[in-house]
Amino acid sequence: MKKFIPVLLLALALMPVMLHAQSNQPSREELEKRKRELQKEMEEAQAILRETKKNSKESLGQLRALRNKIDVRSRMIRNINEEINFINGDINNALRDVKTLQNDLDTLKQQYAQLIVAAYKNRSSYALMNFIFSAESFNEAIKRYQYLKQYRDFRRRQADNIIETQAQLQQKVKNLQDQRVKRSATLKTEQEERATLEKDRKEKDEVVAKLKGREKELLADISQKQKDQRKIQDLIRAVIRKEIEAARKKAEAEELARKKAAEAERKRREEERQRQLAAAREAAKAAAANNAAGNTAAAQPTPPPPPKPVPEPPAPAPETKSTRVYNVLEASPEAAALSEKFEDNRGKLPWPVESGMIIGWFGKQKNADMERVVEENDGMIFATRKGGNVKAIFEGEVRVVMAIPGGGYSILVKHGQYFTNYVGLQSFAVKSGQKVKTGQTIGTAKNNEEESAGVVEVQIYKLDKLQNTNVWIPNRR
């Protein structure tokens, strides 16, 4: 007993860990769904890689496409391995079921054999009749007859159970064979995917080797790209600051108008009060003169009623204080609500393209294969099909559509105090001042020579401060 207690305590301690591991294990339906999603990602990655290979020389875009393809294929192999684990579990369960049914069948056959032997020994009808009529009473004879009938029924049921168990056993054996065939096919698929993955890695290494020979050229291109990005940033920030200044002036004008209206109302009330006081004084004088002329000296004049005070305006209801600090871009309740709604969708904003992949993240992106090559992005960059639709990632108002020299068009959409900027559009389908909804098409992606595909960059601003797009738009993994 003393040896059993530590084992029991250890089992109880490990139980939460085991339950957590089981809860994190994906279900068969989740694996199938993930398999379909990965297959779609792989088709998109292969399509973009085919486009990048059309260029006569290797590029960073081709390297990105290869790395993305390798990543998707690695996740496909992990998904296949999890599927194989499920199949192995099904095979083990089937083996246990087959063994149990085989034992049950052996037991039933043994019992049935005993019944047959006993029936053979008592096969004489004289013995059966003697068994019934040797009863001491009529009731006992009836019971013996019912016993013999139940015995025959039991023997028949035993035979039926044997037939049914044999059928179940055959079905289980067939299912076991099917699972083994499925496992064999899945293992073959996994081996083929691993072989293809190795080819992709070799192709990537070849591209890296050739790119390293053009490292100076690549660094110069990246430097020029960053200069162009800074120009775009200056233009966008100028537009946003103009929006902020216009909102500030509007708020100041509204506040000045409110103060003037309040001052005019105060003066009107003061003039009304003075007019009432003057009227009261005149009435008092007239009453005093009438009393002096028509009454005796002992009579006391009736004092005039005091003037009615001018009612003060009702005090405004106390407002519930909020810890949130609002700015000039959230002056109206609608703008403030839109800002809060945008904030609530942090990490849940949709992609601006229907299909494709992320080829650039916000901030500095180090190249794992080329240490000196470091790219820096102001937003998240998406690759999609040539001329693919670009959609608004949140509802708002288009503030400006501007042409970028050599870079297509840029569309700035306002969401309260937040702005989303879509850079690198081939065409636009909206205009300044237009309201847009989430998922509405605002233009098409411009073809990028390096990627040989449609590419669009999405930037997010809070006022004129650039935000980390990576925490606003999730990856599809």
Side-chain angles (χ1 to χ4, degrees):
M1 184 66 180
K2 292 181 179 179
K3 293 181 179 179
F4 175 72
I5 292 175
V7 176
L8 178 61
L9 293 175
L10 179 61
L12 292 173
L14 291 176
M15 186 174 293
V17 179
M18 296 170 64
L19 291 175
H20 178 71
Q22 291 177 357
S23 64
N24 288 339
Q25 186 178 10
S27 64
R28 192 183 300 274
E29 292 75 15
E30 289 173 341
L31 283 177
E32 287 295 328
K33 180 182 178 182
R34 191 189 302 170
K35 181 180 179 180
R36 292 191 296 269
E37 291 173 349
L38 287 170
Q39 189 61 42
K40 183 180 178 181
E41 279 191 61
M42 178 56 70
E43 291 172 359
E44 294 172 355
Q46 287 176 336
I48 292 175
L49 182 59
R50 282 195 299 269
E51 292 296 329
T52 60
K53 286 182 177 180
K54 291 180 180 179
N55 285 339
S56 58
K57 59 182 180 180
E58 289 72 17
S59 65
L60 289 176
Q62 185 176 346
L63 179 58
R64 280 191 290 264
L66 275 168
R67 278 207 298 256
N68 184 71
K69 184 182 176 184
I70 290 171
D71 176 68
V72 175
R73 196 174 299 282
S74 299
R75 287 187 281 131
M76 288 180 70
I77 291 173
R78 289 198 296 270
N79 197 73
I80 291 172
N81 288 331
E82 291 180 351
E83 186 180 354
I84 290 173
N85 291 335
F86 264 109
I87 296 173
N88 287 333
D90 292 341
I91 290 175
N92 292 333
N93 291 334
L95 284 171
R96 285 194 296 269
D97 292 342
V98 167
K99 187 176 180 180
T100 301
L101 287 171
Q102 188 64 57
N103 292 336
D104 292 344
L105 184 61
D106 293 342
T107 302
L108 288 171
K109 285 182 176 180
Q110 185 179 2
Q111 293 174 351
Y112 189 72
Q114 293 173 355
L115 292 174
I116 294 299
V117 170
Y120 179 79
K121 290 180 178 179
N122 299 284
R123 66 186 183 278
S124 172
S125 60
Y126 176 76
L128 296 175
M129 296 297 292
N130 186 42
F131 175 72
I132 295 173
F133 287 113
S134 63
E136 295 181 357
S137 64
F138 180 75
N139 288 335
E140 186 178 348
I142 294 297
K143 289 181 179 179
R144 290 187 177 190
Y145 173 77
Q146 291 175 344
Y147 168 76
L148 291 174
K149 184 179 179 182
Q150 291 173 357
Y151 181 79
R152 287 195 301 270
D153 293 340
F154 176 72
R155 190 170 62 186
R156 186 169 57 252
R157 286 197 303 273
Q158 285 291 90
D160 293 338
N161 288 339
I162 290 173
I163 295 172
E164 183 180 350
T165 305
Q166 285 177 332
Q168 291 178 1
L169 181 59
Q170 291 174 356
Q171 184 62 41
K172 287 293 181 181
V173 170
K174 183 180 181 302
N175 292 341
L176 179 59
Q177 293 172 346
D178 293 342
Q179 290 296 330
R180 284 172 173 166
V181 170
K182 184 178 180 180
R183 180 175 64 179
S184 177
T186 307
L187 284 170
K188 183 179 178 182
T189 302
E190 195 257 0
Q191 292 171 356
E192 292 173 350
E193 291 293 339
R194 286 191 180 277
T196 307
L197 178 63
E198 190 61 30
K199 291 180 181 178
D200 292 340
R201 284 173 174 166
K202 288 181 180 179
E203 184 180 357
K204 188 201 75 169
D205 292 340
E206 292 174 0
V207 172
V208 170
K210 292 178 180 179
L211 287 175
K212 284 183 177 179
R214 298 171 41 228
E215 193 169 274
K216 290 184 178 179
E217 178 186 345
L218 294 175
L219 292 174
D221 291 341
I222 291 173
S223 178
Q224 183 60 44
K225 178 183 175 183
Q226 290 176 348
K227 290 179 181 177
D228 295 339
Q229 285 178 339
R230 284 192 288 271
K231 290 179 182 178
I232 295 174
Q233 283 298 314
D234 292 340
L235 288 172
I236 297 302
R237 284 196 171 96
V239 172
I240 294 176
R241 286 166 184 161
K242 186 177 179 182
E243 288 281 328
I244 296 173
E245 182 63 19
R248 185 187 64 79
K249 289 182 178 179
K250 181 181 178 182
E252 288 178 353
E254 290 176 350
E255 178 66 15
L256 181 61
R258 187 189 66 78
K259 287 181 178 180
K260 286 182 178 180
E263 180 63 19
E265 179 65 16
R266 188 190 66 77
K267 288 182 177 179
R268 186 191 68 79
R269 290 180 179 277
E270 179 63 21
E271 291 174 356
E272 178 67 19
R273 191 175 68 85
Q274 293 296 334
R275 187 187 63 78
Q276 290 179 354
L277 288 174
R281 285 195 294 269
E282 291 297 327
K285 289 180 181 179
N290 291 334
N291 287 335
N295 298 323
T296 62
Q300 298 294 328
T302 303
K308 294 181 179 180
V310 178
E312 294 292 331
E319 297 180 357
T320 56
K321 293 185 178 179
S322 174
T323 57
R324 193 181 191 283
V325 179
Y326 294 90
N327 54 61
V328 293
L329 292 181
E330 301 171 307
S332 68
E334 294 79 12
L338 191 58
S339 289
E340 293 175 357
K341 189 176 178 182
F342 189 88
E343 290 169 354
D344 291 340
N345 281 272
R346 181 186 178 96
K348 298 181 290 186
L349 293 173
W351 279 25
V353 293
E354 296 173 351
S355 62
M357 64 182 184
I358 299 173
I359 61 172
W361 302 86
F362 175 85
K364 291 185 177 181
Q365 307 296 306
K366 294 183 178 180
N367 195 308
D369 301 295
M370 303 175 69
E371 294 181 358
R372 294 182 60 193
V373 176
V374 179
E375 298 179 276
E376 187 170 3
N377 301 318
D378 295 326
M380 189 176 284
I381 304 175
F382 298 84
T384 185
R385 61 183 177 83
K386 289 184 177 181
N389 289 335
V390 177
K391 300 182 177 183
I393 64 173
F394 203 75
E395 62 180 298
E397 180 183 353
V398 178
R399 296 311 303 146
V400 67
V401 179
M402 68 173 68
I404 300 173
Y409 295 95
S410 173
I411 298 178
L412 186 69
V413 182
K414 180 183 175 184
H415 320 277
Q417 68 169 337
Y418 291 93
F419 295 85
T420 53
N421 188 37
Y422 306 80
V423 183
L425 275 71
Q426 178 177 331
S427 63
F428 57 91
V430 291
K431 59 184 179 180
S432 180
Q434 179 179 340
K435 301 283 187 179
V436 293
K437 297 180 180 179
T438 304
Q440 180 177 337
T441 299
I442 59 175
T444 57
K446 184 178 182 296
N447 296 343
N448 181 286
E449 293 180 1
E450 185 178 288
E451 319 294 336
S452 294
V455 174
V456 62
E457 180 178 1
V458 177
Q459 303 165 353
I460 298 178
Y461 293 82
K462 182 178 181 181
L463 297 176
D464 61 344
K465 301 296 187 296
L466 197 61
Q467 301 295 297
N468 184 352
T469 322
N470 303 342
V471 301
W472 287 90
I473 304 176
N475 196 359
R476 285 179 176 171
R477 298 178 188 175

